[in-house]
Amino acid sequence: ALPIWVEETVNRWLFRAPDYRAETRALAARLRDVHDEQGTAAAVEDAARRPLELSEARVIAIDAAASPALLDGETVEHVGKLLIPISSGGRVTHAMAVAPGSARPGLVSSDVDYLRAIAGLYGNRMDALGRERDAIERQSREAVLLQQVTEAEQIGRAHV
């Protein structure tokens, strides 16, 4: 039996398959420097489209009227597109809609696994951005409160 790294190298060489681990690591590193939802979506869409040679990859918000299977976290096919669920805050809030391109007419299980992995990175980044926003808002409220206390103390001293 060959070591796994040899098999993966041969598969990439023979079948021109992307190195999904390297692509996932590169996306994770890129997302650390992105601080908004639009930039995060653009990075994830590029990470899906480029290595898989997809004709389309878009992150879309979904609502309660979406497919029950999608809301349950299942990958579904809809109108010629594959919808990969994206969870944030403990529920499916977005989906990545992907369509194979002419260079890659179909997706195999390793491709779908990769898409699920990067969808997970998107969801994790959205959670992190939410926590960052909450921390900034909390710091702002604390600063306003501290300023109000200081002003009240100054007014109290002026009246004594």
Side-chain angles (χ1 to χ4, degrees), residues 15-18 20 51-54 99-108 111:
F15 302 109
R16 296 182 38 217
Y20 293 127
L52 292 174
E53 300 174 338
L54 301 173
S102 58
R104 182 179 285 264
L107 298 172
V108 296
D111 301 333

Side-chain angles (χ1 to χ4, degrees), residues 76-87:
V76 298
E77 191 171 347
H78 179 68
V79 191
K81 295 180 185 171
L82 197 60
L83 300 177
I84 310 291
I86 300 174
S87 296

Side-chain angles (χ1 to χ4, degrees), residues 5-160:
W5 69 270
V6 172
E7 288 181 25
E8 290 173 348
T9 303
V10 169
N11 282 338
R12 278 194 302 277
W13 180 66
L14 286 176
F15 302 109
R16 296 182 38 217
D19 182 348
Y20 293 127
R21 279 192 234 150
E23 292 288 342
T24 303
R25 283 192 302 271
L27 176 61
R30 186 172 170 194
L31 290 179
R32 281 192 285 274
D33 296 328
V34 177
H35 300 286
D36 63 25
E37 186 171 341
Q38 294 81 14
T40 302
V44 170
E45 291 165 355
D46 179 63
R49 191 179 304 108
R50 187 181 31 76
L52 292 174
E53 300 174 338
L54 301 173
S55 64
E56 180 181 2
R58 286 183 307 121
V59 173
I60 56 173
I62 60 171
D63 58 24
S67 159
L70 183 63
L71 292 172
D72 284 342
E74 294 179 32
T75 299
V76 298
E77 191 171 347
H78 179 68
V79 191
K81 295 180 185 171
L82 197 60
L83 300 177
I84 310 291
I86 300 174
S87 296
S88 179
R91 62 184 182 86
V92 176
T93 58
H94 293 76
M96 184 169 25
V98 299
S102 58
R104 182 179 285 264
L107 298 172
V108 296
S109 60
S110 60
D111 301 333
V112 176
D113 290 344
Y114 169 68
L115 292 169
R116 286 185 186 126
I118 65 173
L121 290 176
Y122 178 88
N124 291 342
R125 188 62 186 145
M126 289 297 95
D127 289 343
L129 289 174
R131 287 189 302 274
E132 289 173 13
R133 271 192 307 273
D134 291 347
I136 290 168
E137 288 173 11
R138 186 174 45 257
Q139 289 172 345
S140 176
R141 285 192 305 268
E142 289 171 358
V144 167
L145 183 59
L146 183 59
Q147 181 181 358
Q148 290 172 341
V149 167
T150 303
E151 289 172 358
E153 287 176 348
Q154 290 172 350
I155 291 172
R157 283 190 206 125
H159 286 47
V160 172

